[in-house]
Tab-separated table of all heavy atoms in Angstrom:
chain	number	residue	atom	x	y	z
L	1	LYS	N	1.535	-13.393	-8.111
L	1	LYS	CA	1.249	-12.441	-9.194
L	1	LYS	C	1.903	-12.886	-10.503
L	1	LYS	O	1.296	-12.806	-11.577
L	1	LYS	CB	1.753	-11.052	-8.794
L	1	LYS	CG	1.406	-9.967	-9.806
L	1	LYS	CD	1.895	-8.594	-9.337
L	1	LYS	CE	1.140	-8.137	-8.109
L	1	LYS	NZ	1.524	-6.738	-7.717
L	2	ILE	N	3.131	-13.381	-10.416
L	2	ILE	CA	3.834	-13.850	-11.616
L	2	ILE	C	3.099	-15.028	-12.245
L	2	ILE	O	2.897	-15.071	-13.468
L	2	ILE	CB	5.285	-14.238	-11.275
L	2	ILE	CG1	6.108	-12.984	-10.950
L	2	ILE	CG2	5.934	-15.014	-12.428
L	2	ILE	CD1	7.489	-13.285	-10.405
L	3	LEU	N	2.697	-15.991	-11.419
L	3	LEU	CA	2.007	-17.160	-11.957
L	3	LEU	C	0.682	-16.773	-12.611
L	3	LEU	O	0.355	-17.259	-13.712
L	3	LEU	CB	1.759	-18.198	-10.857
L	3	LEU	CG	1.019	-19.465	-11.313
L	3	LEU	CD1	1.753	-20.158	-12.448
L	3	LEU	CD2	0.808	-20.419	-10.139
L	4	LYS	N	-0.069	-15.879	-11.982
L	4	LYS	CA	-1.337	-15.439	-12.576
L	4	LYS	C	-1.109	-14.742	-13.917
L	4	LYS	O	-1.844	-14.980	-14.880
L	4	LYS	CB	-2.081	-14.523	-11.596
L	4	LYS	CG	-2.743	-15.272	-10.452
L	4	LYS	CD	-3.566	-14.377	-9.568
L	4	LYS	CE	-2.749	-13.624	-8.568
L	4	LYS	NZ	-3.567	-12.960	-7.527
L	5	THR	N	-0.093	-13.912	-13.975
L	5	THR	CA	0.225	-13.213	-15.225
L	5	THR	C	0.580	-14.198	-16.327
L	5	THR	O	0.124	-14.069	-17.476
L	5	THR	CB	1.384	-12.225	-15.005
L	5	THR	OG1	1.013	-11.269	-14.000
L	5	THR	CG2	1.725	-11.492	-16.290
L	6	ARG	N	1.380	-15.193	-15.992
L	6	ARG	CA	1.801	-16.188	-16.978
L	6	ARG	C	0.623	-17.045	-17.452
L	6	ARG	O	0.502	-17.349	-18.645
L	6	ARG	CB	2.891	-17.085	-16.378
L	6	ARG	CG	4.229	-16.395	-16.110
L	6	ARG	CD	5.001	-16.118	-17.392
L	6	ARG	NE	5.154	-17.289	-18.226
L	6	ARG	CZ	6.090	-18.229	-18.068
L	6	ARG	NH1	6.974	-18.120	-17.078
L	6	ARG	NH2	6.162	-19.246	-18.910
L	7	LEU	N	-0.242	-17.458	-16.534
L	7	LEU	CA	-1.399	-18.283	-16.907
L	7	LEU	C	-2.384	-17.489	-17.763
L	7	LEU	O	-2.960	-18.008	-18.727
L	7	LEU	CB	-2.092	-18.814	-15.654
L	7	LEU	CG	-1.327	-19.874	-14.850
L	7	LEU	CD1	-2.043	-20.165	-13.539
L	7	LEU	CD2	-1.142	-21.161	-15.649
L	8	LYS	N	-2.567	-16.220	-17.428
L	8	LYS	CA	-3.453	-15.368	-18.229
L	8	LYS	C	-2.894	-15.176	-19.640
L	8	LYS	O	-3.651	-15.107	-20.612
L	8	LYS	CB	-3.620	-14.002	-17.560
L	8	LYS	CG	-4.485	-14.007	-16.317
L	8	LYS	CD	-4.539	-12.595	-15.726
L	8	LYS	CE	-5.352	-12.551	-14.454
L	8	LYS	NZ	-5.408	-11.200	-13.864
L	9	ALA	N	-1.580	-15.104	-19.737
L	9	ALA	CA	-0.944	-14.856	-21.031
L	9	ALA	C	-1.214	-15.971	-22.035
L	9	ALA	O	-1.207	-15.734	-23.250
L	9	ALA	CB	0.558	-14.675	-20.844
L	10	VAL	N	-1.456	-17.197	-21.547
L	10	VAL	CA	-1.779	-18.304	-22.455
L	10	VAL	C	-3.289	-18.565	-22.490
L	10	VAL	O	-3.746	-19.578	-23.017
L	10	VAL	CB	-1.004	-19.586	-22.083
L	10	VAL	CG1	0.484	-19.377	-22.268
L	10	VAL	CG2	-1.308	-20.035	-20.654
L	11	GLY	N	-4.059	-17.631	-21.914
L	11	GLY	CA	-5.508	-17.673	-22.048
L	11	GLY	C	-6.231	-18.662	-21.169
L	11	GLY	O	-7.365	-19.051	-21.471
L	12	LEU	N	-5.638	-19.076	-20.060
L	12	LEU	CA	-6.330	-20.022	-19.189
L	12	LEU	C	-7.371	-19.297	-18.336
L	12	LEU	O	-7.138	-18.175	-17.869
L	12	LEU	CB	-5.336	-20.760	-18.302
L	12	LEU	CG	-4.336	-21.663	-19.033
L	12	LEU	CD1	-3.603	-22.552	-18.045
L	12	LEU	CD2	-5.021	-22.517	-20.088
L	13	PRO	N	-8.534	-19.927	-18.117
L	13	PRO	CA	-9.649	-19.273	-17.419
L	13	PRO	C	-9.492	-19.286	-15.907
L	13	PRO	O	-10.122	-20.068	-15.205
L	13	PRO	CB	-10.859	-20.096	-17.862
L	13	PRO	CG	-10.306	-21.468	-18.084
L	13	PRO	CD	-8.909	-21.264	-18.620
L	14	LEU	N	-8.654	-18.427	-15.403
L	14	LEU	CA	-8.449	-18.387	-13.956
L	14	LEU	C	-9.274	-17.276	-13.317
L	14	LEU	O	-9.715	-16.333	-13.981
L	14	LEU	CB	-6.965	-18.227	-13.633
L	14	LEU	CG	-6.255	-16.951	-14.084
L	14	LEU	CD1	-6.302	-15.891	-12.991
L	14	LEU	CD2	-4.813	-17.260	-14.429
L	15	ILE	N	-9.476	-17.411	-12.028
L	15	ILE	CA	-10.170	-16.390	-11.240
L	15	ILE	C	-9.111	-15.625	-10.456
L	15	ILE	O	-8.313	-16.226	-9.738
L	15	ILE	CB	-11.186	-17.025	-10.274
L	15	ILE	CG1	-12.239	-17.817	-11.046
L	15	ILE	CG2	-11.854	-15.955	-9.421
L	15	ILE	CD1	-13.185	-18.599	-10.151
L	16	ASP	N	-9.097	-14.305	-10.588
L	16	ASP	CA	-8.090	-13.488	-9.919
L	16	ASP	C	-8.752	-12.392	-9.104
L	16	ASP	O	-9.237	-11.397	-9.642
L	16	ASP	CB	-7.142	-12.882	-10.961
L	16	ASP	CG	-6.028	-12.060	-10.314
L	16	ASP	OD1	-5.931	-12.061	-9.076
L	16	ASP	OD2	-5.264	-11.418	-11.061
L	17	HIS	N	-8.771	-12.597	-7.794
L	17	HIS	CA	-9.310	-11.582	-6.887
L	17	HIS	C	-8.197	-10.866	-6.127
L	17	HIS	O	-8.466	-10.154	-5.164
L	17	HIS	CB	-10.278	-12.221	-5.895
L	17	HIS	CG	-11.585	-12.637	-6.501
L	17	HIS	ND1	-12.544	-11.738	-6.912
L	17	HIS	CD2	-12.088	-13.863	-6.774
L	17	HIS	CE1	-13.589	-12.379	-7.397
L	17	HIS	NE2	-13.347	-13.672	-7.335
L	18	GLY	N	-6.944	-11.103	-6.537
L	18	GLY	CA	-5.836	-10.405	-5.904
L	18	GLY	C	-5.198	-11.120	-4.732
L	18	GLY	O	-4.262	-10.597	-4.126
L	19	SER	N	-5.663	-12.315	-4.415
L	19	SER	CA	-5.070	-13.068	-3.309
L	19	SER	C	-4.045	-14.059	-3.847
L	19	SER	O	-3.762	-14.109	-5.045
L	19	SER	CB	-6.143	-13.804	-2.515
L	19	SER	OG	-6.612	-14.942	-3.225
L	20	HIS	N	-3.492	-14.867	-2.961
L	20	HIS	CA	-2.475	-15.852	-3.323
L	20	HIS	C	-3.067	-17.145	-3.872
L	20	HIS	O	-2.317	-18.023	-4.312
L	20	HIS	CB	-1.638	-16.190	-2.082
L	20	HIS	CG	-2.451	-16.801	-0.980
L	20	HIS	ND1	-3.307	-16.052	-0.189
L	20	HIS	CD2	-2.573	-18.078	-0.547
L	20	HIS	CE1	-3.905	-16.844	0.682
L	20	HIS	NE2	-3.479	-18.075	0.493
L	21	ILE	N	-4.379	-17.284	-3.832
L	21	ILE	CA	-5.062	-18.505	-4.287
L	21	ILE	C	-5.421	-18.359	-5.759
L	21	ILE	O	-6.043	-17.365	-6.157
L	21	ILE	CB	-6.308	-18.774	-3.434
L	21	ILE	CG1	-5.885	-19.085	-1.986
L	21	ILE	CG2	-7.132	-19.918	-4.009
L	21	ILE	CD1	-7.031	-19.113	-0.991
L	22	ILE	N	-5.049	-19.362	-6.568
L	22	ILE	CA	-5.226	-19.266	-8.021
L	22	ILE	C	-6.050	-20.445	-8.534
L	22	ILE	O	-5.508	-21.515	-8.826
L	22	ILE	CB	-3.863	-19.218	-8.737
L	22	ILE	CG1	-2.989	-18.102	-8.133
L	22	ILE	CG2	-4.055	-19.015	-10.239
L	22	ILE	CD1	-1.584	-18.058	-8.704
L	23	PRO	N	-7.369	-20.273	-8.677
L	23	PRO	CA	-8.203	-21.330	-9.238
L	23	PRO	C	-8.252	-21.219	-10.765
L	23	PRO	O	-8.504	-20.146	-11.307
L	23	PRO	CB	-9.595	-21.046	-8.644
L	23	PRO	CG	-9.444	-19.826	-7.785
L	23	PRO	CD	-8.168	-19.153	-8.184
L	24	VAL	N	-8.013	-22.334	-11.444
L	24	VAL	CA	-8.167	-22.407	-12.897
L	24	VAL	C	-9.396	-23.261	-13.174
L	24	VAL	O	-9.448	-24.438	-12.820
L	24	VAL	CB	-6.923	-23.012	-13.572
L	24	VAL	CG1	-7.150	-23.143	-15.075
L	24	VAL	CG2	-5.696	-22.148	-13.298
L	25	LEU	N	-10.397	-22.649	-13.787
L	25	LEU	CA	-11.683	-23.311	-13.972
L	25	LEU	C	-11.622	-24.351	-15.088
L	25	LEU	O	-11.124	-24.074	-16.181
L	25	LEU	CB	-12.762	-22.276	-14.282
L	25	LEU	CG	-13.074	-21.297	-13.146
L	25	LEU	CD1	-14.100	-20.274	-13.598
L	25	LEU	CD2	-13.567	-22.031	-11.912
L	26	VAL	N	-12.187	-25.517	-14.806
L	26	VAL	CA	-12.302	-26.595	-15.783
L	26	VAL	C	-13.764	-26.818	-16.145
L	26	VAL	O	-14.127	-26.957	-17.306
L	26	VAL	CB	-11.670	-27.894	-15.245
L	26	VAL	CG1	-11.799	-29.015	-16.276
L	26	VAL	CG2	-10.206	-27.672	-14.868
L	27	GLY	N	-14.637	-26.829	-15.121
L	27	GLY	CA	-16.075	-26.898	-15.362
L	27	GLY	C	-16.645	-28.285	-15.521
L	27	GLY	O	-17.832	-28.450	-15.809
L	28	ASP	N	-15.834	-29.304	-15.290
L	28	ASP	CA	-16.309	-30.681	-15.417
L	28	ASP	C	-15.468	-31.560	-14.485
L	28	ASP	O	-14.230	-31.500	-14.534
L	28	ASP	CB	-16.175	-31.169	-16.855
L	28	ASP	CG	-16.628	-32.612	-17.028
L	28	ASP	OD1	-17.829	-32.826	-17.251
L	28	ASP	OD2	-15.774	-33.517	-16.925
L	29	PRO	N	-16.096	-32.393	-13.649
L	29	PRO	CA	-15.334	-33.173	-12.675
L	29	PRO	C	-14.423	-34.225	-13.305
L	29	PRO	O	-13.309	-34.454	-12.825
L	29	PRO	CB	-16.417	-33.830	-11.812
L	29	PRO	CG	-17.645	-33.839	-12.662
L	29	PRO	CD	-17.551	-32.603	-13.503
L	30	ILE	N	-14.884	-34.842	-14.389
L	30	ILE	CA	-14.080	-35.879	-15.036
L	30	ILE	C	-12.855	-35.263	-15.713
L	30	ILE	O	-11.741	-35.781	-15.610
L	30	ILE	CB	-14.939	-36.672	-16.044
L	30	ILE	CG1	-16.050	-37.430	-15.290
L	30	ILE	CG2	-14.084	-37.645	-16.843
L	30	ILE	CD1	-17.045	-38.134	-16.177
L	31	HIS	N	-13.061	-34.117	-16.391
L	31	HIS	CA	-11.937	-33.436	-17.022
L	31	HIS	C	-10.936	-32.935	-15.975
L	31	HIS	O	-9.715	-33.007	-16.188
L	31	HIS	CB	-12.434	-32.256	-17.856
L	31	HIS	CG	-13.099	-32.664	-19.129
L	31	HIS	ND1	-13.918	-31.823	-19.861
L	31	HIS	CD2	-13.081	-33.839	-19.811
L	31	HIS	CE1	-14.369	-32.453	-20.924
L	31	HIS	NE2	-13.873	-33.681	-20.914
L	32	ALA	N	-11.448	-32.413	-14.861
L	32	ALA	CA	-10.559	-31.910	-13.811
L	32	ALA	C	-9.703	-33.039	-13.248
L	32	ALA	O	-8.495	-32.876	-13.024
L	32	ALA	CB	-11.381	-31.252	-12.701
L	33	LYS	N	-10.320	-34.179	-13.022
L	33	LYS	CA	-9.586	-35.333	-12.499
L	33	LYS	C	-8.552	-35.823	-13.511
L	33	LYS	O	-7.406	-36.147	-13.149
L	33	LYS	CB	-10.561	-36.461	-12.155
L	33	LYS	CG	-9.953	-37.636	-11.402
L	33	LYS	CD	-11.041	-38.603	-10.950
L	33	LYS	CE	-10.473	-39.677	-10.021
L	33	LYS	NZ	-9.525	-40.560	-10.689
L	34	LYS	N	-8.932	-35.875	-14.786
L	34	LYS	CA	-8.016	-36.333	-15.818
L	34	LYS	C	-6.822	-35.381	-15.971
L	34	LYS	O	-5.676	-35.814	-16.119
L	34	LYS	CB	-8.748	-36.467	-17.154
L	34	LYS	CG	-7.882	-36.971	-18.299
L	34	LYS	CD	-7.281	-38.347	-18.015
L	34	LYS	CE	-8.328	-39.437	-17.932
L	34	LYS	NZ	-7.685	-40.771	-17.747
L	35	LEU	N	-7.079	-34.084	-15.933
L	35	LEU	CA	-5.988	-33.109	-15.995
L	35	LEU	C	-5.019	-33.296	-14.833
L	35	LEU	O	-3.797	-33.272	-15.014
L	35	LEU	CB	-6.546	-31.685	-15.970
L	35	LEU	CG	-7.093	-31.128	-17.285
L	35	LEU	CD1	-7.845	-29.831	-17.020
L	35	LEU	CD2	-5.960	-30.889	-18.278
L	36	SER	N	-5.571	-33.476	-13.640
L	36	SER	CA	-4.743	-33.683	-12.453
L	36	SER	C	-3.884	-34.935	-12.600
L	36	SER	O	-2.681	-34.922	-12.282
L	36	SER	CB	-5.636	-33.795	-11.209
L	36	SER	OG	-4.879	-34.170	-10.078
L	37	GLU	N	-4.482	-36.005	-13.084
L	37	GLU	CA	-3.751	-37.259	-13.251
L	37	GLU	C	-2.628	-37.134	-14.277
L	37	GLU	O	-1.520	-37.638	-14.072
L	37	GLU	CB	-4.723	-38.368	-13.667
L	37	GLU	CG	-5.689	-38.785	-12.560
L	37	GLU	CD	-6.765	-39.736	-13.051
L	37	GLU	OE1	-6.910	-39.908	-14.288
L	37	GLU	OE2	-7.470	-40.306	-12.197
L	38	ARG	N	-2.903	-36.449	-15.388
L	38	ARG	CA	-1.886	-36.309	-16.429
L	38	ARG	C	-0.759	-35.365	-15.998
L	38	ARG	O	0.410	-35.593	-16.318
L	38	ARG	CB	-2.532	-35.823	-17.728
L	38	ARG	CG	-3.445	-36.865	-18.369
L	38	ARG	CD	-3.804	-36.489	-19.790
L	38	ARG	NE	-2.621	-36.435	-20.660
L	38	ARG	CZ	-2.671	-36.081	-21.940
L	38	ARG	NH1	-3.833	-35.746	-22.496
L	38	ARG	NH2	-1.570	-36.057	-22.672
């Protein structure tokens, strides 16, 4: 819950259904891979 609140506070596009899993949407495979690498 704390992490979701903090990520939302900086405007990141996460999906929150109330569970412990926190997906942050990127929408592009190359960008997602580059973010992970950095």
